[in-house]
Amino acid sequence: MTRIAVIGGGQMGEALVAGMINGGLAARNIIVCENNAERASELSERYDILTTDVEDAVESSDYVFVAVKPKDVKTVLAVLADATATLENEIVVVSIAAGIPTVYYENQLSAGSPVIRVMPNTPMLVGKGVCAVSAGRYARPEHVEEVCGLLGSVGTVLEVPEADMDMVTAISGSGPAYFFLMVEAMIDAGVAMGLTRPVAAELTIGTISGSAKMLQESGKTPAQLRETVTSPGGTTAAGLRAFEDGGFRSTIYEVLDAVAEKSKEMRPKM
């Protein structure tokens, strides 16, 4: 049975744990390393898992997921390098930290250490995430297959070249925030035009949720579905024209470009 260590017990770390347990991995095969004692106790009680320090977790694990903030990766890797230096068993390190390439991990760990980079997004908290996976130089196909299987319990999994990860971050990693901002704006506009906030919220969330389901299940492209709603000279056409007049498409491009550039800037110096 695959044994997992998750370093970092924040939202994404917890989502991984919950997803893997829901996907059939026994709780006894999951260890979480979390510095905050209160949070560690909370996770231990909620999922019936073991919480311990990195050294003990690594010694009994096959896959180590680094689920900390990018600024904390260097510190974690120093501990991880010491903990794995004398181990005879192979440890696969899986990073879900934004902007940090596999080569950075490989340079900090023992020579030949297999590393896999993952860009998840927050819908994994409800089992509907999208995870993009890229293999490092020493990760073998069976490692990637195992990680994809584990992540499949929290949503959709795609394998992508690591060179595409900055763009992946811009589209799916940060994407939920754009979506939430649009929902927020639609609700606020509805209120400004006279609806109560609960009614505006229910109309907006229900409409977007249903539209997403249509997009997933209809087999039609976004353009085709948009056309079915748009009558020539009608109300929807007027709204779409206002979007275009406001530079909607160019704004989306600029947003994604800004995020991709920021992702590149976050790469640590080798």
Side-chain angles (χ1 to χ4, degrees):
M1 177 65 73
T2 302
R3 297 163 299 178
I4 305 295
V6 178
I7 302 177
Q11 277 200 335
M12 301 305 276
E14 181 177 2
L16 283 170
V17 170
M20 288 188 287
I21 291 175
N22 290 337
L25 186 64
R28 67 177 179 275
N29 291 312
I30 301 175
I31 302 173
V32 173
C33 309
E34 170 55 49
N35 289 333
N36 185 306
E38 184 177 346
R39 175 62 172 167
S41 178
E42 178 185 339
L43 293 172
S44 178
E45 293 177 10
R46 183 174 299 163
Y47 299 103
D48 193 26
I49 56 175
L50 177 66
T51 57
T52 186
D53 57 31
V54 174
E55 291 84 353
D56 288 343
V58 167
E59 188 174 354
S60 59
S61 298
D62 303 304
Y63 290 81
V64 177
F65 284 78
V66 179
V68 299
K69 295 183 184 301
K71 66 180 180 63
D72 297 323
V73 167
K74 184 176 181 180
T75 300
V76 168
L77 281 179
V79 178
L80 201 53
D82 288 341
T84 58
T86 58
L87 292 180
E88 295 183 3
N89 56 306
E90 182 179 63
I91 301 294
V92 180
V93 176
V94 184
S95 168
I96 66 171
I100 302 182
T102 54
V103 67
Y104 181 77
Y105 286 79
E106 292 163 351
N107 288 345
Q108 306 299 318
L109 299 170
S110 301
S113 294
V115 179
I116 295 174
R117 180 178 174 185
V118 177
M119 172 48 63
N121 63 11
T122 54
M124 69 190 294
L125 293 166
V126 293
K128 296 293 183 181
V130 177
C131 294
V133 176
S134 298
R137 286 178 293 175
Y138 309 112
R140 299 191 297 275
E142 60 266 31
H143 295 149
V144 177
E145 182 179 359
E146 182 76 29
V147 168
C148 287
L150 291 167
L151 294 173
S153 60
V154 293
T156 302
V157 183
L158 302 170
E159 289 185 52
V160 301
E162 188 168 11
D164 292 343
M165 272 297 194
D166 294 319
M167 200 60 237
V168 168
T169 301
I171 292 177
S172 64
S174 299
Y178 319 148
F179 168 79
F180 297 138
L181 178 61
M182 183 171 181
V183 171
E184 182 184 358
M186 289 177 69
I187 293 170
D188 287 345
V191 172
M193 290 187 290
L195 295 175
T196 65
R197 187 163 292 276
V199 167
E202 188 167 351
L203 287 171
T204 302
I205 295 169
T207 297
I208 290 181
S209 176
S211 300
K213 192 171 182 66
M214 284 182 67
L215 192 56
Q216 287 183 315
E217 298 180 1
S218 68
K220 296 182 178 180
T221 67
Q224 288 172 326
L225 290 172
R226 173 177 53 77
E227 288 169 1
T228 64
V229 186
T230 310
S231 301
T235 56
T236 304
L240 293 174
R241 186 167 58 253
F243 265 127
E244 298 294 0
D245 289 345
F248 182 73
R249 291 178 187 270
S250 61
T251 297
I252 294 296
Y253 180 88
E254 290 169 6
V255 167
L256 298 186
D257 186 58
V259 175
E261 287 302 314
K262 183 63 177 180
S263 179
K264 293 174 185 177
E265 291 174 10
M266 292 174 65
R267 294 175 189 165
K269 294 180 179 179
M270 302 298 176

